[in-house]
Amino acid sequence: EDYRLEELIYKDIEKYPGSAFGEIHQRIGKEINKHKIRRVLKSMVDNKRIFSKGERRWRKYAIEQNLLNNQ
């Protein structure tokens, strides 16, 4: 199931680069456990599938690092 969630997150970030966690969670479904989404996001960043910029509440996610630098 994690691979399906990872694909959902990837498609969302691809369509909406520079999104915060709350925005991603809202779009892919509030019924999905937020801790699970955070864990998958962290895994995707660690594996360099996506990139993040910022700390805590201000962290934004994008597929390409240069999209974060332009904000």
Side-chain angles (χ1 to χ4, degrees), residues 9-17 24 41 50 61-63:
I9 291 169
Y10 188 86
K11 295 282 187 199
D12 182 79
I13 294 172
E14 189 174 49
K15 191 169 184 176
Y16 302 100
I24 296 167
L41 275 169
I50 62 172
Y61 298 93
I63 304 246

Side-chain angles (χ1 to χ4, degrees), residues 2-69:
D2 277 1
Y3 70 93
R4 292 178 74 194
L5 180 57
E6 189 173 317
E7 205 50 44
L8 258 178
I9 291 169
Y10 188 86
K11 295 282 187 199
D12 182 79
I13 294 172
E14 189 174 49
K15 191 169 184 176
Y16 302 100
S19 293
F21 169 78
E23 298 166 334
I24 296 167
H25 190 203
Q26 179 115 29
R27 286 191 298 258
I28 67 172
K30 282 286 196 182
E31 68 279 359
I32 302 171
N33 185 308
K34 67 180 177 182
H35 300 291
K36 189 172 207 169
I37 295 172
R38 284 194 198 279
R39 182 174 45 80
V40 171
L41 275 169
K42 183 180 179 333
S43 167
M44 291 173 77
V45 169
D46 290 347
N47 294 329
K48 298 197 181 349
R49 184 143 190 234
I50 62 172
F51 296 94
S52 66
K53 181 179 183 181
E55 295 293 321
R56 302 176 196 248
R57 288 178 38 200
W58 296 277
R59 182 169 290 144
K60 305 286 186 185
Y61 298 93
I63 304 246
E64 297 176 36
Q65 197 163 17
N66 64 352
L67 292 174
L68 290 171
N69 293 333

